[in-house]
Amino acid sequence: QVQLVESGGGLVQAGGSLRLSCAASGRTSSRYAMGWFRQAPGKEREFVGVISWSGGSTYMAESVKGRFTISRDNAKNTVYLQMNSLKPEDTAVYYCAVRNGGYYYNAPEEYNYWGQGTQVTVSS
C-alpha cells in the first residue's frame, strides 16, 4: 500500500497562487507516475495533470495548461502542483494520485492510490 499526504490548500483571491505538495510513502513500483485531480460539488472527478516517474514528461489538462505546473522530487517522493492565475472555477477538492507505470493517463480508474484531498477555494 501507498500513503499520500497532501498540504498547501487554502483560500486565495482570483489571480493569486497556491502550491500544493503531496508526499508518497510505502510500497509501490519504483517507476510510478504522480498526478493531480480535482472535484467540485456535484461534478465528477476531473484530471488536472500528471508527471512521469523520471520527471521528464508531463501531461496537463487543457483547462489548466499555461497556469498550473507539475514537478516532482524523487528523493522525497513528492509531487508539487504550482497553481497560478487562479480563477473561481478552480475551486474544488484537489487529490494527488499514484499510478504504477506510465504517465499518459487521465482517467481516475487508471490510478492506484489516492490522497485524502485538500480544499482549494478561489474567491472573486
Side-chain angles (χ1 to χ4, degrees), residues 27-105:
R27 182 180 298 176
T28 188
S29 170
S30 61
R31 300 177 61 151
Y32 56 90
M34 299 186 72
W36 290 93
F37 292 76
R38 65 187 183 185
Q39 189 165 22
K43 296 184 178 180
E44 295 184 348
R45 192 163 296 188
E46 176 189 20
F47 173 76
V48 176
V50 63
I51 188 167
S52 65
W53 70 272
S54 67
S57 300
T58 61
Y59 168 33
M60 305 299 294
E62 290 296 325
S63 60
V64 304
K65 192 173 295 183
R67 299 189 297 123
F68 293 7
T69 303
I70 284 182
S71 61
R72 71 186 294 170
D73 182 348
N74 281 355
K76 299 181 180 294
N77 286 332
T78 299
V79 64
Y80 305 94
L81 181 66
Q82 179 66 49
M83 304 184 293
N84 299 324
S85 301
L86 283 162
K87 305 174 181 179
E89 51 262 44
D90 295 317
T91 296
V93 176
Y94 283 69
Y95 300 88
C96 64
V98 165
R99 185 183 189 277
N100 294 322
Y103 75 99
Y104 204 77
Y105 298 86

Side-chain angles (χ1 to χ4, degrees), residues 4-10 18-23 36 78-81 83 94 96 115-120:
L4 303 174
V5 180
E6 299 168 301
S7 62
L18 279 176
R19 187 190 190 219
L20 306 183
S21 300
C22 180
W36 290 93
T78 299
V79 64
Y80 305 94
L81 181 66
M83 304 184 293
Y94 283 69
C96 64
Q116 79 286 353
T118 184
Q119 178 71 46
V120 172

